[in-house]
Amino acid sequence: MPRTVCLILYAFFVTLPHPSVALSNVLSKNRVNVGWTPQAHGNQRIGAEFGQVYNNTVSVNVSHTYRFTYTDKTNQTSAIRIHVSSSYKNVTQAYPILFVVRQQRSILSWQVPLVLQNVFEYFSVSRTLCPVIDTDEEAQVAIGAGPKDQIISVDVSSFSDVPQFYSLNASVVEQFVLETEVSLDVNVSASEPKYYKYEFPAGIDSVVVHALSEDSLCMVLSIQNLHCPVFDLDRNVEFTGEYQTMTKKAAITVQRDQLKGDNAFYVVIVLNPNDFECSGVEKIVPPAGATKKRIKMLTVTVQQSITDDEFYKAVFATLGAFLSFYLAAFIVHFIYHYIDNRYGSNEDILPEEESDNPSAPISASGANYGTTQTTESSAAAKDMVSPVLTSQAHHDSDSSLDETDIDLLQDADLEKDVFRTKTFLYVADLARKNRKVLAKKYKLYHWSLITVAIFYGLPVIQLVITYQKVLHVTGNEDICYYNFLCAHPLGVLSAFNNVFSNAGYILLGILFLGLTWRRDFLNKKAIENNSIYEKKYGIPQHFGLFYAMGLALAMEGVMSGCYHVCPSYSNFQFDTAFMYVIAVLSMLKIYQTRHPDISATAYATYLVLAFIIFIAVIGVVYGTVWFWLILTIIHVLASIALSAQIYYMGRWQLNLGVFKRIWNICKTDGCGRPVYMDRMVMLVIANVANWSLAIYGMITQPKDAASYLLAVFIINLLLYTTFYIVMKLRFREKILLLPVIYIILAAVTWGFALYFFMSKLTTWEVTPAMSREGNKECFVLDFYDEHDIWHFLSAIALFLSFMILLTLDDDLIRKPRDKIPVF
């Protein structure tokens, strides 16, 4: 009996239809698309055609294999694109539908839903198959054989017990090959990447692939060699080739030489599932069910880059332009040597009967004019000054060359107080130290700077070369912030034009060193002919700071060039370090001109500069609120301390008694009118400007702390230079024709330079993709962009500014030193 019952139950279940068959019957009654195929058990092989949509279901028991036959056309490259989709209602990550595409020499697979970044699910996927390009096809064409048939097999399967519906179609991408100077409109999504092929035509060895879009969706533009498979997904597009993230603009320069023997490359376009890589901000909640589809519209254009002739034309035109300054300097030298030889005429004007004894005391009228001391104190001061001056050659120096150069007696300090705290000072009061001692002191500026340049520059060069190698090895062009729309590579340099445009700093720096040497040589020659010239007339000539300024200008070109090898936030200090040096040395030179005995030492100066660069680095890396608060306090206190140092000519001390001394001064001399009015006016203006800058920095907290600090120094230099020129005019000193020309040219050049500086083609304050939104085409000769023009003009402006300082006091060469005012 049990056996009979089992046979009856078995016969009953055998007659029932399989669930998948039942579902197929239901779908057959409701099918709406063409190409639907009835379901059956096992694997089904289906002969398929391009352009037709196939709707079907698969399960653990049923799979499909679609066989497409494609005939290649001779001398024409095209590609096949497979599009599949399913519904998120019946397909899950646990049981996805698997698609495997088999070609002659490659295999490609994916699944639906396609999961990107372990979060985003996509139920519609399109992939472009790798074209079959091999030597067999080339051989067939060579022997005159006909087109070759290609078999493409698409396997569809799933491990789900429940039948899962899908839709599949294949199409031929007719416009697969990009043409030079022809734009192509493309739309992509994260699950539907695209790529195209570009073949170098004859006569073109370098092209630029441009991509432009109106929306800000984040995508990756990649250049890959001809290989299969092509890496065209978010998770693998960075595995090979060169790539950039992009929002609205991207451009990659491709040279025929870098393709390793190939004559063509693929342009791959991949849309990221979110915008984090481009904006730094990520939406936490992903699109539910992928209902809101991210689609990016863009235009791709391949443009020819400049030719070798145009490249070298721009390079040699730049060299010629800056070498013309050497020619102009030679012409000016020729004119002054043969027409207005001022140094040679000094011998006839300067009195020969003046004493050549360096220890000769200054006369009473020259030592005490304008003093606020009483008659008795003046007489006492005179008695005290004479014995001190007799040993002036030994103890008037603040140098540490030997013990005899140091003021060891208490009366030396009193002597300084007598000369430096008079109501009105002349240069003779502050030019009393031995010239040779001061010359050694000021030579330390350029010798120390040479040491700094070597030890600072060599590691910088090593670092930026390493950055460049990393870029080429990884292909990640987001490492460096170039203007990719105007980046011309040469050798290992990805943007040679941005590096080479700094040559102006180097050439003009060397020229300024030569002009300074010429002046130094003529000055020494004049002193040999008549030593009284150096002791009693004109501004004391010390050229150590000028040599340091010329060297700093040349090093600015080297360091700025190193920065532009691979511009980024991590090495921006290289571009600004020697700009700090230039600004500080220029201000020191202006101050030293009429304060030669009390100017800062080279050691103290470079120590302060090192501290400034340290602050700049901290500001770039850790620019927090606390940093800006501390910087503001340091800025304000430094302004006050430096103001006191300048106002009292170094004759003050910062200790617990400073407030009592301030009270005594106000009580005895009064606080209503300052004793040194000119100095007070200058210092009030300078403090207002610096306090305003400090408050501005605290409020805005700019990310680019290095540029903020540079702006502080540049503004102070501008204020001090303006003050110096105004004071010359106030005391009715002449400004000769040549300095006037330099002033006008420098002002005009600085104006144009700042205009181009504000163009902001790139900025490392944002992500690389957002920085590229400011990229622009080349501005001059199809080689230089607007920032390169800033390099040219700022180099010229700095050179002209240096020439102003070098020639500004030429009108005082024959004027007695005890009649030249100090301000």
Side-chain angles (χ1 to χ4, degrees):
M1 181 65 182
R3 182 177 180 182
T4 304
V5 173
C6 290
L7 291 173
I8 294 173
L9 291 175
Y10 173 77
F12 173 75
F13 284 108
V14 168
T15 57
L16 287 178
H18 191 274
S20 62
V21 178
L23 180 59
S24 300
N25 294 333
V26 174
L27 293 174
S28 64
K29 296 178 181 179
N30 298 281
R31 64 182 181 272
V32 293
N33 294 323
V34 297
W36 177 88
T37 304
Q39 203 47 278
H41 294 286
N43 179 267
Q44 297 186 11
R45 299 181 179 272
I46 303 172
E49 298 180 1
F50 293 106
Q52 187 171 350
V53 179
Y54 295 90
N55 298 319
N56 226 322
T57 59
V58 290
S59 66
V60 66
N61 297 318
V62 179
S63 62
H64 298 139
T65 299
Y66 295 88
R67 182 185 176 91
F68 295 90
T69 302
Y70 174 68
T71 302
D72 283 336
K73 298 179 181 179
T74 305
N75 296 328
Q76 180 178 345
T77 302
S78 57
I80 307 301
R81 189 165 178 82
I82 305 293
H83 175 79
V84 297
S85 62
S86 184
S87 173
Y88 69 91
K89 295 181 179 179
N90 67 336
V91 179
T92 63
Q93 293 188 33
Y95 295 100
I97 301 177
L98 307 177
F99 296 88
V100 179
V101 180
R102 291 177 293 171
Q103 293 178 266
Q104 177 183 340
R105 296 178 58 182
S106 64
I107 186 170
L108 181 65
S109 63
W110 67 90
Q111 66 185 49
V112 175
L114 179 66
V115 182
L116 298 179
Q117 298 184 359
N118 297 321
V119 176
F120 300 93
E121 293 184 341
Y122 295 90
F123 295 87
S124 178
V125 181
S126 295
R127 303 291 297 276
T128 301
L129 306 185
C130 194
V132 177
I133 303 175
D134 55 13
T135 55
D136 294 338
E137 180 179 353
E138 295 176 359
Q140 281 195 240
V141 175
I143 64 177
K148 181 179 179 181
D149 291 339
Q150 296 185 23
I151 305 300
I152 300 173
S153 175
V154 182
D155 296 333
V156 186
S157 61
S158 175
F159 283 88
S160 174
D161 293 330
V162 179
Q164 296 179 324
F165 174 80
Y166 70 90
S167 176
L168 179 147
N169 77 321
S171 59
V172 179
V173 182
E174 298 293 344
Q175 196 173 358
F176 180 69
V177 179
L178 299 174
E179 299 180 8
T180 309
E181 308 294 341
V182 177
S183 300
L184 177 65
D185 294 329
V186 181
N187 60 332
V188 293
S189 67
S191 62
E192 299 177 352
K194 294 181 179 179
Y195 63 88
Y196 299 89
K197 179 183 177 183
Y198 177 80
E199 299 178 354
F200 276 100
I204 297 180
D205 296 323
S206 179
V207 295
V208 182
V209 180
H210 292 261
L212 300 176
S213 178
E214 295 182 357
D215 61 69
S216 299
L217 297 179
C218 185
M219 59 160 279
V220 176
L221 178 68
S222 174
I223 303 298
Q224 301 181 18
N225 291 329
L226 300 184
H227 59 74
C228 291
V230 176
F231 298 105
D232 60 349
L233 288 179
D234 169 75
R235 58 174 174 258
N236 60 20
V237 69
E238 301 176 357
F239 287 177
T240 187
E242 300 177 354
Y243 61 92
Q244 298 176 6
T245 54
M246 167 189 166
T247 52
K248 294 184 177 181
K249 292 182 181 180
I252 300 179
T253 301
V254 185
Q255 295 177 306
R256 190 193 297 263
D257 297 340
Q258 72 187 64
L259 297 179
K260 299 178 181 179
D262 292 329
N263 198 40
F265 58 87
Y266 290 135
V267 179
V268 184
I269 305 166
V270 180
L271 181 66
N272 290 358
N274 60 17
D275 297 327
F276 178 75
E277 284 194 49
C278 294
S279 65
V281 179
E282 182 177 7
K283 295 180 180 179
I284 298 177
V285 181
T291 56
K292 186 178 180 181
K293 197 171 184 180
R294 285 166 52 94
I295 298 178
K296 187 176 185 66
M297 305 291 296
L298 68 151
T299 301
V300 179
T301 309
V302 181
Q303 298 179 355
Q304 180 181 1
S305 185
I306 63 173
T307 62
D308 290 343
D309 292 339
E310 294 171 328
F311 186 97
Y312 293 115
K313 176 182 177 182
V315 170
F316 288 112
T318 303
L319 293 176
F322 283 106
L323 290 177
S324 66
F325 282 84
Y326 286 76
L327 178 61
F330 175 79
I331 293 174
V332 172
H333 167 71
F334 178 83
I335 294 173
Y336 271 76
H337 183 71
Y338 289 98
I339 299 178
D340 189 20
N341 192 345
R342 292 171 298 177
Y343 288 106
S345 61
N346 288 338
E347 298 179 19
D348 300 330
I349 295 177
L350 298 180
E352 292 288 348
E353 64 274 9
E354 291 284 354
S355 172
D356 291 343
N357 183 9
S359 62
I362 301 176
S363 63
S365 60
N368 296 296
Y369 43 74
T371 182
T372 57
Q373 304 289 337
T374 62
T375 304
E376 294 179 358
S377 62
S378 298
K382 180 179 179 181
D383 295 337
M384 183 171 48
V385 166
S386 296
V388 174
L389 287 176
T390 58
S391 60
Q392 179 183 11
H394 299 288
H395 66 252
D396 271 349
S397 172
D398 55 2
S399 173
S400 59
L401 297 175
D402 59 63
E403 294 182 354
T404 61
D405 294 329
I406 304 174
D407 295 324
L408 298 176
L409 302 177
Q410 293 297 327
D411 58 353
D413 286 333
L414 182 58
E415 175 206 348
K416 294 178 182 178
D417 292 335
V418 170
F419 281 93
R420 298 182 191 177
T421 59
K422 295 189 304 182
T423 304
F424 200 85
L425 284 170
Y426 289 89
V427 172
D429 298 323
L430 300 178
R432 303 172 54 247
K433 294 182 179 179
N434 186 275
R435 181 185 68 87
K436 293 183 179 179
V437 173
L438 288 180
K440 292 180 180 179
K441 170 185 175 180
Y442 291 123
K443 281 183 180 179
L444 291 176
Y445 275 97
H446 60 270
W447 287 116
S448 299
L449 188 59
I450 291 174
T451 305
V452 171
I454 293 174
F455 279 89
Y456 188 78
L458 291 179
V460 167
I461 295 174
Q462 179 184 3
L463 179 63
V464 295
I465 292 178
T466 301
Y467 276 166
Q468 191 73 88
K469 289 182 178 180
V470 170
L471 185 148
H472 289 307
V473 171
T474 63
N476 182 7
E477 296 198 349
D478 285 353
I479 296 175
C480 306
Y481 286 71
Y482 301 120
N483 175 19
F484 288 93
L485 293 180
C486 185
H488 301 288
L490 178 66
V492 298
L493 301 178
S494 298
F496 172 78
N497 54 308
N498 295 149
V499 177
F500 182 74
S501 61
N502 292 280
Y505 296 108
I506 301 175
L507 294 175
L508 294 182
I510 295 173
L511 176 59
F512 185 77
L513 288 173
L515 296 175
T516 300
W517 176 87
R518 172 185 171 272
R519 284 229 166 192
D520 192 7
F521 174 78
L522 293 178
N523 179 68
K524 292 177 180 178
K525 186 177 180 181
I527 293 174
E528 292 175 359
N529 294 334
N530 194 338
S531 61
I532 197 65
Y533 159 74
E534 181 269 334
K535 300 170 185 175
K536 299 288 185 176
Y537 288 84
I539 298 292
Q541 299 296 309
H542 300 291
F543 296 94
L545 275 170
F546 280 131
Y547 284 121
M549 289 163 60
L551 179 62
L553 181 58
M555 280 304 302
E556 170 59 24
V558 174
M559 301 306 293
S560 180
C562 289
Y563 165 71
H564 285 88
V565 169
C566 182
S568 66
Y569 85 97
S570 61
N571 59 8
F572 181 66
Q573 59 163 312
F574 305 157
D575 194 26
T576 57
F578 277 86
M579 289 298 291
Y580 300 145
V581 175
I582 290 173
V584 171
L585 292 181
S586 298
M587 286 187 284
L588 280 176
K589 183 58 194 176
I590 297 174
Y591 186 78
Q592 180 221 49
T593 301
R594 303 192 185 224
H595 309 77
D597 287 0
I598 58 175
S599 187
T601 64
Y603 305 117
T605 301
Y606 292 129
L607 180 62
V608 171
L609 284 169
F611 179 70
I612 292 168
I613 294 176
F614 172 76
I615 291 177
V617 173
I618 297 299
V620 171
V621 180
Y622 302 105
T624 61
V625 176
W626 286 106
F627 166 80
W628 286 102
L629 178 61
I630 295 173
L631 179 61
T632 302
I633 295 173
I634 294 175
H635 191 174
V636 172
L637 293 179
S639 299
I640 296 173
L642 190 60
S643 298
Q645 183 76 11
I646 294 174
Y647 186 77
Y648 289 108
M649 298 290 181
R651 309 310 301 152
W652 77 293
Q653 293 180 349
L654 181 61
N655 51 33
L656 296 178
V658 65
F659 298 103
K660 182 179 180 180
R661 292 194 298 272
I662 293 175
W663 168 252
N664 291 334
I665 291 174
C666 291
K667 185 171 63 175
T668 56
D669 298 338
C671 296
R673 179 179 175 83
V675 178
Y676 314 108
M677 180 58 68
D678 294 333
R679 275 179 263 170
M680 178 58 70
V681 172
M682 177 194 71
L683 293 173
V684 167
I685 296 175
N687 275 272
V688 169
N690 279 277
W691 290 22
S692 301
L693 289 170
I695 295 172
Y696 170 81
M698 182 62 205
I699 294 175
T700 60
Q701 299 179 18
K703 292 183 179 180
D704 190 357
S707 294
Y708 166 80
L709 290 174
L710 181 59
V712 170
F713 284 105
I714 294 298
I715 291 174
N716 279 275
L717 174 59
L718 179 62
L719 289 173
Y720 196 16
T721 305
T722 304
F723 169 80
Y724 191 88
I725 295 174
V726 169
M727 292 302 293
K728 275 184 68 72
L729 298 176
R730 180 176 181 271
F731 284 98
R732 298 183 180 181
E733 295 180 1
K734 295 180 181 179
I735 300 180
L736 300 181
L737 177 61
L738 191 58
V740 170
I741 294 175
Y742 287 142
I743 291 173
I744 295 174
L745 291 177
V748 173
T749 308
W750 273 121
F752 283 105
L754 291 175
Y755 170 79
F756 287 104
F757 177 76
M758 300 303 293
S759 58
K760 291 292 183 183
L761 302 180
T762 62
T763 172
W764 48 261
E765 298 179 27
V766 296
T767 62
M770 297 178 67
S771 172
R772 275 187 279 273
E773 294 181 8
N775 289 180
K776 294 181 182 179
E777 299 283 351
C778 295
F779 187 75
V780 175
L781 299 176
D782 290 329
F783 190 79
Y784 297 113
D785 60 23
E786 294 179 9
H787 192 74
D788 294 327
I789 305 304
W790 150 255
H791 288 162
F792 296 146
L793 294 180
S794 61
I796 296 172
L798 284 170
F799 173 77
L800 293 173
S801 301
F802 288 1
M803 293 304 298
I804 293 173
L805 300 182
L806 187 64
T807 61
L808 188 57
D809 289 317
D810 283 356
D811 59 303
L812 304 176
I813 288 179
R814 302 168 187 172
K815 188 172 183 178
R817 194 167 294 173
D818 57 1
K819 295 181 181 180
I820 302 176
V822 172
F823 45 78

